[in-house]
Every structure is written in C-alpha cells, then in structure tokens.
Amino acid sequence: LDSGTGIRLMPQIPPRDAILHTSWIGGRPRLPAEVEWPRIDGREGDFVAQIACADLPPMLWDGLGPRTGWLAFFTNPDSGEATALHLATDGPPRDAPRPVGPAYFRPLGLDSAALLALAIPALPEWPVDVATGSNGPEAADEAEAILAADYDIGDPAFHPFDWPTMLAMAQILEDRILSLPIDGAAPDDANDELAEAIADAAGANRDAAQRTAEIVAIIRESAAADSGFSPSDATAVMAALHAIRWTKVSARPDPESGIDEVETLALPLTRRRPDGDLWVEAWRHLLFDHARHAWTADPARLSAPARAFFEPLWQAMAADALASAGHVPAHYAPGFDEERDAVLLELPPSGLTGLAPRGGGPLVFAIRKADLAAGDFSRVRALSSD
C-alpha cells in the first residue's frame, strides 16, 4: 500500500485510551440518538467497524468519499450482506439488539457447538490507528510459535479470571473429562502386562474423575453463592486440578519379537498432552475468547501473567492480519471491478477479531465509485472469496 492508494488499520495493543478512540473494529457502534440500528434484508445488522473519516488521507479512494464524520459498517447476521452508514456525528456506545450471527463470527479454535455455546456472542472492540505505507513483515510464524509452545494451564497465565470463565471451565471439564470411558476392559488379544496396565489406569482414572467431579461441584456451588470472585479462588482450583493425574496406556508391537511394548503416560490434568488433548487446548481457546473481551474493555481485568502471554500473541496476530482500505482486494473477490469499484474496508480472517467468512478469505466492503462520489452508501456490497 502507498499513501495515495490505501491505508492500514493498526490495532492498538495495548490501547492508549479505552474510551476516547476514534476508529475501531468490533464492539459497539456510537450512533446518534436519532439514527436507528440498520436493518439488512429485514434483519438487524451485526456491527463490524466504525472509522473516523477525518483520519483518512486526502487521496484515499482517488479523493472521493467523506472526510468528516464516521463510516459505520454492518452485515446481515445470516447472509452476510452489507450496508454502511455515514454519520455526521457520533453518539454514546449503543448495545447490539441481539447476539452476533453466524455469517462471519468465527472465534479462534471454538469449532464445536458445545464450545461456541460458551463463547461470548459478540465481537471484541479493538481500537485502531489509520496508517499509510507498506505492510510490515508477516507475523504468522511468531503467533504460531507462541501457540505451539508447551504449556500447563496450572500456569497463572491460563487461570480463570472471573466467575463466568470459572464456570465455563467447569463445563468443559464435565463435557470432556467426566464423559471419558474408564471401564478398564482390555482387548481380547492383550497380553498380561497390557491388561494389567489398562486395569491399573482405569482404577486411577476413576479416582481422577471422582475428584474432578467434586471440583466441578465446588465451582458451581461457589458461583451460585454469589460471593465475590478472587484470584485465590482460581489458584486453589487450578492447584487441585494439577494434583490430579490422568493416565493413558498405549501399546505397539516390537518390530523384532512382535510382543506388545506397553507405555503408560500419567500427566497432571492441567498439562497439555503429547498423546492427544483431553480438555486443556479447548479451555485455552475459550480463555482466549473471554480474555480478549475483558482486556479490550479494561486491560487491568487480566492478571500480569495473563497479559504477559496474551499481549505478545495479540500483537503478532494483529500484525499478520491488518484491516485495510482503498486498494485492490488482496485476494480475488468475485464481482469486484477495479475500474468501477472501491474498497471501503477489507478485513482478513483473524483470530484476533473473530471475524472470517465461511470460505476462509477476506471480507471486502465494496462500493461503486459513482455511489461513493455521491455519498450514497445504501448499495455497499460484501464480497468474500475462498
């Protein structure tokens, strides 16, 4: 991108001012009292972004479009069709009339109905700065390295930080751990060593499941008592979970003798397992979802260890998936005509925002240049590609 053809929208991490930012992605729009929440094909739209026109460079969109007020972007929650409003003035933050719809809502790693039910059904509000110039180096490898590093959720960085996150963790424990089979039945062709190891593991895991069920019950009873949440509550729960060992037995035939070599792996329930995730990865994805909402509302809601983990991760993710405007779409966008159309906003799929079209490509808000020149935003189109 260059200053004459496009801009980038740089998330502020950490935000300089959680209240007095002028442009942002996700969260709540700031609509004047007289402006109704927009409807698209009869449905109240999902709010996507609001951009301060005064921050846009003069030659963006070949000098077309407003340079005062705000552009607010909305999509149909089901079909993904789009509209935009040009607001002469803003207003107080306005809550959405309903949870965000499925058209573009893709929280990172929450790929099952059970986990999605525990997610916050909204897009977190990321303040952004309007910047010109070339794109910086991609940071996907950095983000992937942070996520791939070995970890134990006994680490304070991954502790629940309020009762909703504690209860969500209890639900994942119930769904993932308390439903695991622990009957101890060995295969018919198992040798004595394997059969004994399986039986011993089953006994250990029955005890582990009982202790886990007791922790789940304590969490729910404590939350129902409506007592104030304290980080010490999370510390106690995570210490108790760390003291529980879950055992898995595997066997593979020796290539020379053909006799099964038995391996038993007993790890703390809080440990990421090399032999397959039980629940830890699901919890960390859900924590990621809740933490970004809490942090964008008030960074102080997260502990110092949590911020030390999440802020570098979010910075890397932000650098790798910058929103942009005023250029030719980065990927093929069906229906886009370079001669007649302008890109009002392009949003790449991002775990940071939780926005992604079903096909996995960027979401492009396009407008005819003639409509942009006339200030008519009623025919904005949402384009996406695989």
Side-chain angles (χ1 to χ4, degrees):
L1 301 178
D2 62 50
S3 60
T5 61
I7 60 168
R8 295 169 296 143
L9 302 177
M10 307 283 292
Q12 299 175 10
I13 302 174
R16 290 189 300 277
D17 191 313
I19 298 175
L20 298 178
H21 49 267
T22 58
S23 299
W24 61 96
I25 297 170
R28 298 177 293 173
R30 297 181 183 176
L31 304 177
E34 67 274 12
V35 174
E36 294 184 357
W37 193 280
R39 301 180 72 88
I40 306 168
D41 295 336
R43 293 276 278 144
E44 293 160 324
D46 285 339
F47 171 70
V48 173
Q50 189 161 330
I51 309 300
C53 298
D55 294 339
L56 304 177
M59 291 310 299
L60 183 72
W61 305 315
D62 297 327
L64 302 176
R67 294 300 184 273
T68 60
W70 283 263
L71 287 175
F73 298 86
F74 296 81
T75 59
N76 181 289
D78 301 308
S79 70
E81 294 299 323
T83 193
L85 304 178
H86 178 224
L87 308 170
T89 61
D90 64 354
R94 189 180 302 183
D95 290 333
R98 49 157 186 77
V100 67
Y104 301 120
F105 184 52
R106 301 286 183 280
L108 179 68
L110 304 186
D111 52 6
S112 70
L115 286 176
L116 276 173
L118 299 174
I120 295 176
L123 303 174
E125 185 167 313
W126 292 97
V128 295
D129 292 324
V130 175
T132 58
S134 300
N135 281 326
E138 293 188 356
D141 291 346
E142 182 180 348
E144 290 174 3
I146 293 172
L147 289 172
D150 199 15
Y151 67 95
D152 186 314
I153 59 171
D155 185 323
F158 308 114
H159 286 191
F161 57 85
D162 56 16
W163 282 122
T165 51
M166 187 83 95
L167 286 168
M169 187 182 73
Q171 187 63 51
I172 294 175
L173 281 166
E174 182 173 70
D175 292 344
R176 298 295 182 97
I177 299 300
L178 301 186
S179 63
L180 289 173
I182 46 176
D183 57 12
D188 292 339
D189 59 350
N191 59 32
D192 291 344
E193 181 186 5
L194 178 58
E196 182 179 358
I198 290 175
D200 289 345
N205 289 343
R206 278 192 291 270
D207 177 66
Q210 180 180 346
R211 293 165 64 190
T212 301
E214 292 169 354
I215 292 171
V216 168
I218 290 170
I219 291 173
R220 289 173 173 161
E221 290 170 4
S222 300
D226 200 25
S227 58
F229 181 87
S230 168
S232 62
D233 297 320
T235 300
V237 166
M238 302 310 284
L241 290 173
H242 183 76
I244 298 172
R245 298 292 188 270
W246 194 269
T247 304
K248 292 183 75 172
V249 176
S250 61
R252 58 182 179 181
D254 181 272
E256 295 182 1
S257 68
I259 299 174
D260 283 339
E261 292 182 342
V262 179
E263 295 182 356
T264 298
L265 182 63
L267 291 175
L269 202 58
T270 54
R271 183 66 182 268
R272 185 186 196 185
R273 299 183 67 98
D275 56 352
D277 181 51
L278 297 178
W279 75 286
V280 166
E281 192 75 359
W283 160 245
R284 192 173 67 160
H285 281 308
L286 190 70
L287 179 66
F288 176 100
D289 176 69
H290 282 250
R292 64 197 177 123
H293 281 275
W295 185 89
T296 51
D298 178 6
R301 288 187 60 188
L302 298 188
S303 68
R307 292 184 64 173
F309 173 79
F310 283 114
E311 288 181 0
L313 172 62
W314 291 333
Q315 287 170 344
M317 296 174 77
D320 185 54
L322 295 177
S324 54
H327 58 293
V328 175
H331 300 270
Y332 171 67
F336 185 85
D337 185 324
E338 186 176 349
E339 295 298 320
R340 296 195 298 167
D341 291 332
V343 173
L344 284 179
L345 181 65
E346 180 171 346
L347 294 161
S350 170
L352 187 72
T353 62
L355 274 167
R358 290 188 178 96
L363 168 60
V364 176
F365 291 85
I367 189 172
R368 295 296 191 200
K369 292 178 181 178
D371 291 333
L372 181 58
D376 180 3
F377 295 92
S378 63
R379 291 187 287 182
V380 169
R381 293 128 55 212
L383 311 177
S384 61
S385 60
D386 295 339

